Amino acid sequence: PTIISMMITSIYNMADTFFVGQIGTSATGAVGVAFSLMAIIQAIGFTFGAGSGNYISRLLGQQRHEEAERIAATGFFTALIAGLILAVAGELFLEPLVRILGATETILPYAMDYIRWILVGAPYMMACFVLNNILRYQGSSFYSMLGVATGGILNIALDPLFIYAFNLGTAGAAIATIISQFVSFCILLHHSRRPEHIHIKFRMFTPTWAVYKEILRGGLPSFYRQGLGSLATISLNFAAHPYGDAAIAAMSIVNRIFQFIHSVQLGFGQGFQPVCGFNYGAGRYDRVLEGFWFCIKVSVGILCVLSLVGFIFAPQIIPIFRRDADVIAIGTLAMRLQCVAFPLNSWVVMNNMLCQTIGKGTAASLLSIARQGMFFIPIILIFPSLFGLLGVQMGQPCADVCSFLLAIPIGARVLRELKAGPKNTSVAPSGESSDAAMEEKEEALS
């Protein structure tokens, strides 16, 4: 269910790219520019969602239900407030915002039409990510999937209606997206009130530093991952800018495709996280390790198969989104280069999920910033001056190789600590002293 949820989240943007692509190359580039803003919304939503969800899973493993309710309420209402602030600020400074995101003069009007409506839905879109994560970390991935999938299917149905039938262009794609996201939000909110789930109540809203510290401990890696993804997209748009709208559109399409493939990997890793959190909270490190190695084997296999398919059929996949000779040529090479290195992300993502869930915030944050921040952004700023357009196309695969090399020693160290067992105090659950952690684990085991 978590894989399907993440795939549907990616389909929101892929559907917009597909239908808007029929309007023109500049319109396709506009969706690529708007993707940076969507990534910011996701970054904030995942920060409070993954942060509260991670901590909730450990609290449930320790039978601390009331505290779990406080964390859930605080994460949810904080995301709503943050979304409202972003919406108001974005609408007031719309044109400067769109230019900062990397729009050219020809792309600018299309991007403004799209982003203007996306900002309207920002508050409940952020809250939707929180509800999704809270349900998932309680082990209720099916209900999480149900809400997200319903919105994704609705988005695909509404896109052609608003874009073509109502003749709203890129604005129609954005309106379809925010309506679909609102439906997802309502469904997720309804399922969060089921008797077996942690209930979100305003009276449990506890905006204190002690609560936010625990949420941020588990949520900042998601913020770094998603936020740097936004900065990476902006940097990519500026790097492709000298080569015209075709280059921006091509790299936007490739970005969407790999975001979709990456969502499969993230969804599988997110399925591991509640298993990891519950067993870690109960002191069953053997189960944490067993789950981790199972996920590594399966995710490597999945990404190898998907990358092979992408490499072979790249010339047929790119034209699905935009039939333009320049876009196809640029996108095909970029896609094939990324397919070569993409399976390496299995090790990076699974170690990131493991560290984030067990409260190893520093290691998780380092792995989160590695791919897009530490490596991709410097590479995409330097390589085009050395290799021209090829430097733009090879930026992401080079960053993937570098992040894999960094993740090897980090992952090996954490796995050694887990293998040593609960007596190793360096991996005690966050927010607890080592003695208290040991007492709770021994009680849980007995």
Side-chain angles (χ1 to χ4, degrees), residues 1 18 34 57 60 111 113 124 127 141 156 174 189 209 265 272 278 287 293 298 300 333 336 347 373 378 381 395 433:
F18 173 78
S57 70
L60 292 177
D113 286 345
Y124 60 79
S141 299
I156 295 172
L189 186 61
W209 170 240
Q265 166 74 358
F272 164 67
F278 272 72
R287 289 181 175 179
W293 286 113
V298 175
V300 168
L333 178 58
R336 283 179 165 169
W347 178 259
L381 294 177
S433 67

Side-chain angles (χ1 to χ4, degrees), residues 148-165:
V148 175
T150 302
I153 294 170
L154 182 61
N155 187 52
I156 295 172
L158 292 180
D159 261 342
L161 179 65
F162 283 97
I163 295 172
Y164 308 128

Side-chain angles (χ1 to χ4, degrees), residues 103-122:
T104 63
E105 290 299 329
T106 51
I107 288 175
L108 182 67
Y110 295 102
M112 287 182 65
D113 286 345
Y114 189 93
I115 289 174
R116 177 180 290 110
W117 286 100
I118 291 297
L119 287 168
V120 173

Side-chain angles (χ1 to χ4, degrees), residues 21 72 81 88 206 241 370:
I81 295 168
V88 173
T206 313
H241 190 290

Side-chain angles (χ1 to χ4, degrees), residues 90-101 103 105 108 112:
E91 295 289 359
L92 290 175
F93 304 100
L94 182 60
E95 183 173 340
L97 171 64
V98 176
R99 291 185 182 277
I100 289 172
L101 295 177
E105 290 299 329
L108 182 67
M112 287 182 65

